[in-house]
Amino acid sequence: MPKQYSIPGRIPALTKAHKLSFAGVAALGAAALTFSLAPADTQGTRVAADPVAAAPVTVSSEQLKVKTVGLSGQLADAQAAAAKKKAADAAAKKKAAADAAKKAEAARKAKEAASRSTQRAAVKPVAAKTYANNLDGWIRQSLDIMKKHGIPGTYDGLHRNIMRESSGNPNAINGWDINAINGVPSIGLLQVIKPTFDAYHVAGTVHSQYNPVANITAAANYAAHRYGSIDNVNSAY
């Protein structure tokens, strides 16, 4: 074998023997590693195991988005359902309140109607006032009409002038004075000529000089305008 020389600062070249030695060592190491990793069978021999790598669990962004959207949709549906129920409850309460108010109003109206009916039943109808068909009745009826129209006069003033003018005869006619000569005789209880009667006739009485109440009332109205009241008349007027 040739002698190897070493030159300072230079790595000596590997000989063929060196290379074979390194290869042998590497082969032995690999065999030992394989033997140590292989599982042992029940008889103490080792069986080479196929290495199985655990697959990593991965979730794509698209899957995450779907899951998130699904959860958000459920929450939105739940909130919408809650809001719908709340609105329905509020509507039901509002309707119940409105129905109660209508019932209360109907009850109030019914109570008022019953009260008015009771009041009407309690009020006795006032009988129409009646007057005797004589001088006293005529004067009293005339006084009531005069009062309604604001015409002054008293029972005594009317009675006194009636007795002087016609003696209480509603059909009395004066055929001899100046009025009779002029064609407009004085007629009735207070001897009123037709132009005077027409001018001072009071609404609500018969338009006739011979009607006792109409005659008295028209004459009292004329006397009130000319003399202030029939009570102030003590002679022909």
Side-chain angles (χ1 to χ4, degrees), residues 166 168-174 187-189 191 210-211:
S166 65
N169 179 10
N171 296 314
I173 299 175
N174 185 324
I187 297 174
L189 290 174
Q191 294 292 285
Y210 291 98
N211 181 273

Side-chain angles (χ1 to χ4, degrees), residues 161-180:
N161 281 284
I162 288 171
M163 295 308 293
R164 186 187 68 251
E165 294 291 334
S166 65
S167 299
N169 179 10
N171 296 314
I173 299 175
N174 185 324
W176 55 267
D177 64 4
I178 188 63
N179 293 321

Side-chain angles (χ1 to χ4, degrees), residues 131-145 155 158 162 168-170 189 211-214 216-217:
Y131 304 91
N133 188 25
N134 53 32
L135 182 59
D136 179 74
W138 301 333
I139 293 174
R140 293 186 185 283
Q141 186 174 355
S142 294
L143 285 171
D144 287 343
I145 296 172
Y155 185 99
L158 291 174
I162 288 171
N169 179 10
L189 290 174
N211 181 273
V213 175
I216 293 171
T217 310

Side-chain angles (χ1 to χ4, degrees), residues 105-122:
E105 180 65 14
R108 183 187 66 80
K109 289 182 178 180
K111 185 177 181 180
E112 288 182 353
S115 178
R116 287 194 296 270
S117 178
T118 303
Q119 291 175 359
R120 285 194 297 270

Side-chain angles (χ1 to χ4, degrees), residues 35 73 84 148 150 225:
F35 180 79
K84 186 175 181 180
K148 287 175 61 178
H225 282 83

Side-chain angles (χ1 to χ4, degrees), residues 25 30 45 50 61 69 78 81 85 164 178 184 193-194 198 201 207 214 218 223 228-229 231:
V25 172
T45 59
D50 294 331
S61 60
V69 170
K85 184 178 183 303
R164 186 187 68 251
I178 188 63
V184 285
I193 62 176
K194 191 165 189 326
D198 290 342
H201 172 260
H207 199 93
S229 172
D231 294 350

